[in-house]
Amino acid sequence: AGSNDGGPGAAIRAKLTLVDLAGSERAKRTGAEGARLREGININKGLFVLGQVVSALSELGQGGASPRSSSSAVSHIPYRD
């Protein structure tokens, strides 16, 4: 690995590993009820928002338009919906 001076054209690399701990099964098929059903719903909401964040970051990394503002030099990635 070389040194990174942070100058123009510097490359940043990262590795992101995602693990699906809950799955995205349909609630009806799992038979979950009560607290377990609510937990599954919240996990699936979180996974959905995570997908939106990854997509927005990918667009920015490829030089695409900002997800929510087209003229801002600094982009906001919505991580809470």
Side-chain angles (χ1 to χ4, degrees):
S3 66
N4 183 0
D5 64 358
I12 298 174
R13 292 185 177 230
K15 181 178 179 181
L16 176 65
T17 304
L18 302 176
V19 178
D20 185 358
L21 298 175
S24 59
E25 303 88 8
R26 301 225 180 261
K28 187 182 230 182
R29 196 170 59 185
T30 65
E33 297 177 347
R36 185 167 291 201
L37 175 61
R38 288 189 299 277
E39 179 183 16
I41 290 169
N42 287 330
I43 289 170
N44 287 332
K45 282 181 189 177
L47 291 172
F48 175 74
V49 173
L50 177 62
Q52 290 179 316
V53 169
V54 170
S55 179
L57 289 171
S58 175
E59 286 179 17
L60 288 174
Q62 295 175 1
S66 171
R68 296 241 170 136
S69 66
S70 58
S71 62
S72 173
V74 177
S75 297
H76 171 72
I77 304 298
Y79 65 93
R80 291 188 207 175
D81 273 347

